[in-house]
Amino acid sequence: MFPSYHHHTAPFHFLCSSNNLFSLFLSLCLSLFKNMLLKAAPAFSLLNPHKELLNPLSSSVSSSSLDLNSSLRAKNGAGVIVCASKGASNSPLTGVVFEPFEEVKKELDLVPSVPQVSLARQKYHEHCEAAVNEQINVEYNVSYVYHALFAYFDRDNVALRGLAKFFKESSIEEREHAEEFMEYQNKRGGKVKLASILMPLTEFDHAEKGDALYAMELTLSLEKLTNEKLLNLHKVANQHHDVQLADFVESKFLSEQVEAIKKISEYVAQLRRVGKGHGVWHFDQMLLDEAEVVA
């Protein structure tokens, strides 16, 4: 009698079914691996531009064919080229060569070696330098006149302390403006050249207008003259395409000068109303009160 194998049928079918599942799992893994290699192929072609495209379906990938070590190469000493593989040529991947010193060669030739010449000077025209020096002289002359006005109203027989204080502060302000222009001249590499200052008047009494109105009208004329000189300086800067100087004049002085002209114009109008007598004393007290509020 032959032995019966019917009791081995179920385990045999189980083994066959397990082998099919394992084969299916292996097929899926191989398919996923192939897809990963297909996606990575363009990147590998960039890293290995002078060799054939890597076969994503090959059974093995050699480490020598995927050399991912980056290297830096110099090109004639003029720039730096970044290559992605050792076997690549000097042609950069992006087509851009970084040459940091080419554009500054002409500027390096302009750097002076003489100690007396400024190192900071750049695109600063001599006409702009002369105009700044002229403005320094204007500011100092106006400051000198205001200082003389302070000395006059501070006398015991004039005794207008508000006007004296106003003109003293105005003199200091104009001198500070002159110093700002001096600092700017040095910043741009120019040379400060101080000119002579004319001696101002020392007597400001006026038979018809009185000393207060006469002094304030003189002040208004000086403020307008200063504004005209600032506009001329701005014009010179524009003529020589000096944007930085034009911006310096605009941001620091022009707006302030217009406001000063408006304020002095109001003082002149008020003094014309009050006359030469008791009204001047009240105006003087108003200036003292304004100074105390500001302080």
Side-chain angles (χ1 to χ4, degrees):
M1 295 295 293
F2 291 97
S4 178
Y5 291 98
H6 67 275
H7 61 279
H8 294 293
T9 303
F12 178 76
H13 285 296
F14 176 76
L15 289 173
C16 292
S17 177
S18 300
N19 289 334
N20 290 335
L21 289 174
F22 179 76
S23 299
L24 180 60
F25 175 76
L26 184 60
S27 300
L28 289 174
C29 290
L30 288 175
S31 177
L32 289 173
F33 182 68
K34 290 176 183 179
N35 289 333
M36 291 173 63
L37 287 178
L38 284 173
K39 291 181 179 180
F44 291 154
S45 65
L46 286 176
L47 295 171
N48 196 13
H50 298 285
K51 297 181 181 179
E52 296 180 359
L53 182 66
L54 296 175
N55 185 6
L57 303 179
S58 61
S59 58
S60 63
V61 180
S62 64
S63 60
S64 61
S65 64
L66 295 177
D67 185 9
L68 302 181
N69 295 325
S70 62
S71 60
L72 297 178
R73 296 173 178 267
K75 181 180 180 182
N76 300 327
V80 178
I81 300 178
V82 180
C83 299
S85 62
K86 290 182 178 179
S89 67
N90 287 339
S91 299
L93 296 177
T94 59
V96 178
V97 178
F98 180 50
E99 299 178 349
F101 295 106
E102 286 297 323
E103 296 186 5
V104 298
K105 281 184 177 179
K106 59 181 181 180
E107 298 295 339
L108 288 174
D109 295 336
L110 295 177
V111 175
S113 57
V114 182
Q116 291 78 12
V117 179
S118 171
L119 296 172
R121 185 166 188 147
Q122 182 188 25
K123 302 184 186 303
Y124 190 47
H125 200 275
E126 57 183 5
H127 290 171
C128 294
E129 180 182 1
V132 170
N133 280 329
E134 180 182 354
Q135 189 64 37
I136 293 172
N137 184 255
V138 169
E139 302 288 347
Y140 269 127
N141 271 282
V142 174
S143 175
Y144 208 32
V145 174
Y146 290 162
H147 222 171
L149 285 165
F150 153 72
Y152 172 82
F153 287 104
D154 192 54
R155 294 180 188 176
D156 66 291
N157 58 335
V158 179
L160 292 174
R161 294 187 299 146
L163 285 165
K165 184 176 181 63
F166 170 79
F167 285 117
K168 182 178 181 180
E169 292 174 350
S170 299
S171 176
I172 294 173
E173 182 182 2
E174 298 301 327
R175 187 170 71 249
E176 289 175 351
H177 289 174
E179 291 174 356
E180 286 187 69
F181 277 109
M182 293 171 73
E183 292 173 358
Y184 180 83
Q185 187 80 291
N186 290 331
K187 186 182 298 183
R188 293 297 302 274
K191 291 184 178 180
V192 175
K193 295 182 179 179
L194 298 178
S196 301
I197 300 177
L198 298 176
M199 185 182 69
L201 300 174
T202 56
E203 300 295 332
F204 298 95
D205 194 15
H206 195 276
E208 297 178 1
K209 299 179 180 180
D211 48 10
L213 177 57
Y214 176 71
M216 202 58 70
E217 288 181 346
L218 176 61
T219 302
L220 179 59
S221 300
L222 290 173
E223 292 296 327
K224 288 185 176 181
L225 174 63
T226 302
N227 189 54
E228 183 179 348
K229 294 295 184 180
L230 286 171
L231 293 174
N232 180 68
L233 175 59
H234 188 273
K235 180 180 179 181
V236 173
N238 286 332
Q239 288 175 348
H240 297 285
H241 310 289
D242 197 326
V243 181
Q244 210 283 325
L245 176 57
D247 178 71
F248 175 73
V249 175
E250 289 177 10
S251 60
K252 289 282 187 178
F253 300 100
L254 289 183
S255 297
E256 180 181 341
Q257 199 63 33
V258 170
E259 292 175 0
I261 291 173
K262 173 64 164 55
K263 183 177 71 172
I264 302 302
S265 298
E266 292 176 350
Y267 288 168
V268 170
Q270 291 169 0
L271 286 171
R272 286 178 177 176
R273 287 180 179 273
V274 300
K276 297 187 295 182
H278 189 71
V280 173
W281 182 84
H282 279 284
F283 178 84
D284 185 75
Q285 293 299 307
M286 179 197 70
L287 291 181
L288 275 179
D289 294 338
E290 287 182 356
E292 291 175 359
V293 170
V294 172

